[in-house]
Amino acid sequence: MPEGTAQGVAVHEEYGSCVACLAEIDATDPKNPRVTKVVMAADVGTAVNPSGLEAQLMGTAVDGISTVLRAGLHIDRGAVREGSFADFHYARQRHAPLAFEAHIIPSDGEPGGAGELGVPAAAGAVANAYARATGTKPRTFPLGF
């Protein structure tokens, strides 16, 4: 991949389900990184609502991006600086990945859960991609820009 870009991978198991995530990031400007692609593969047993599951995975990808790159509460002399959602820097549409793929693993197994299944995998994949793209080892999130 070109310098300043990279891919990261992470896996998460919970609710009797498993998800793997690959995130691709453009951090040529390390203070303004952009997740360009996310691919998720989920094994949730029998998927009762496959299109709903795909939408849920897309939402968890944005949650993972927010967790690593944008959103966080900051305490200043004992008070929370973010007084409303307007102050809380959660990912917006412009921060969503330019490309997203969800792959549901076919299964005849018992249905598992999918609630927030993809958040840890997406956050880990984004953090790993950022680390590879920038040559850094972030230890706190969100990254301080």
Side-chain angles (χ1 to χ4, degrees):
M1 295 188 73
E3 188 173 333
T5 65
Q7 294 178 330
V9 177
V11 175
H12 179 67
E13 293 181 76
E14 190 173 21
Y15 314 119
S17 299
C18 182
V19 65
C21 180
L22 177 137
E24 193 169 289
I25 198 166
D26 179 347
T28 50
D29 175 1
K31 300 280 188 204
N32 192 26
R34 173 72 192 260
V35 175
T36 55
K37 183 175 185 177
V38 171
V39 179
M40 298 181 99
D43 181 352
V44 300
T46 299
V48 176
N49 179 355
S51 59
L53 177 56
E54 288 182 23
Q56 184 68 15
L57 291 172
M58 183 181 287
T60 62
V62 173
D63 286 348
I65 291 167
S66 292
T67 300
V68 174
L69 300 180
R70 307 210 37 91
L73 291 177
H74 301 86
I75 308 298
D76 188 7
R77 291 180 283 169
V80 176
R81 277 195 272 159
E82 293 79 12
S84 71
F85 282 116
D87 301 330
F88 189 73
H89 298 288
Y90 201 80
R92 304 294 199 263
Q93 184 66 39
R94 68 182 178 273
H95 305 113
L98 301 172
F100 177 82
E101 295 177 27
H103 301 275
I104 311 304
I105 308 302
S107 174
D108 293 330
E110 288 287 318
E116 302 301 318
L117 176 69
V119 176
V126 170
N128 287 334
Y130 183 85
R132 291 189 76 193
T134 62
T136 64
K137 293 183 182 180
R139 301 286 188 224
T140 59
F141 302 100
L143 297 171
F145 299 120

